[in-house]
Amino acid sequence: MHAMNYRITLPADYDMGIIHRRVAAKGHLLDAFPGLGLKAYLVRERGTDGSPVNQYAPFYLWNTAQGMNSFLWGPGFQALAADFGRPAVEHWTGLAFERGPAIGAVPRAASRRVQPVDPAADPGSVIAEAVTALAERAAAPGVHSAALAVDPRRWELVHFTLWQDAAPDEPAADRYRVLHLSRPELDSLPTGRQW
């Protein structure tokens, strides 16, 4: 599994209806994309759920590197770059994925938290604890699914959770609304630890 996210921060007075209409018109285009586990079309809107910014921030879980590469070098991502400029794409190696009790529901919210791995800590222990915590989190009521991934270049973990309704207010976590969920290979994403 590979996790991928790009965040396009928009002006404070940007009409977020433009993003809503874009997702409504084009979100379905990835509903059968090969190699894609899921794509959550995420937005934050200034003044909503404590967000200081307007932001469009799709989050992906890929089953295959081929699928991810096909998307990045293909027409879909190129159209986004033509409209908004080419964003920096964050990428993490998957560590674990869990389905929650609300996996059958359409998620309406998401949370994303990045956690630096302390340079003095044993990374294996930090990751083992995070995998255990992910399984516990995924079992909570209202969780659709949860993923954990790592960037070993910067030694940071990303914790991503989809929620049936509202994402809880958590320290250091960004909360998003989900406008659409493409899930062509969600059932194929392996659960549990990925090594």
Side-chain angles (χ1 to χ4, degrees):
M1 179 181 76
H2 304 273
M4 187 178 90
N5 186 212
Y6 47 87
R7 294 171 291 155
I8 301 169
T9 301
L10 300 159
D13 61 350
Y14 189 82
D15 176 6
M16 290 300 285
I18 294 169
I19 301 298
H20 288 254
R21 289 187 294 277
R22 179 188 188 93
V23 172
K26 298 182 178 190
H28 72 280
L29 296 176
L30 292 187
D31 286 354
F33 199 88
L36 177 62
L38 67 83
K39 175 182 180 177
Y41 294 78
L42 307 179
V43 293
R44 291 170 54 182
E45 296 187 41
R46 188 171 186 244
T48 303
D49 292 329
S51 177
V53 297
N54 287 325
Q55 195 173 68
Y56 177 49
F59 194 97
Y60 304 74
L61 294 177
W62 294 96
N63 272 324
T64 67
Q66 292 87 352
M68 182 174 60
N69 288 335
S70 179
F71 172 75
L72 285 171
W73 320 138
F77 186 74
Q78 300 315 312
L80 176 117
D83 290 346
F84 296 102
R86 186 173 56 207
V89 178
E90 296 175 284
H91 171 258
W92 301 268
T93 300
L95 293 172
F97 175 75
E98 297 289 348
R99 292 170 178 79
I103 190 71
V106 175
R108 298 179 184 268
S111 58
R112 176 190 182 272
R113 179 173 60 89
V114 174
Q115 170 193 352
V117 177
D118 185 333
D122 169 43
S125 297
V126 171
I127 288 169
E129 289 172 14
V131 168
T132 299
L134 178 79
E136 293 168 3
R137 178 184 192 93
V143 171
H144 174 277
S145 55
L148 175 70
V150 65
D151 176 351
R153 181 175 180 264
R154 294 188 296 195
W155 287 106
E156 67 180 15
L157 299 175
V158 64
H159 304 259
F160 180 74
T161 307
L162 288 169
W163 301 90
Q164 180 178 358
D165 293 313
D169 189 8
E170 302 173 276
D174 292 330
R175 294 185 295 165
Y176 298 89
R177 285 192 309 146
V178 179
L179 300 182
H180 179 74
L181 182 71
S182 291
R183 45 168 292 158
E185 296 182 14
L186 175 62
D187 294 339
S188 299
L189 280 173
T191 57
R193 195 174 91 151
Q194 309 270 318
W195 75 96

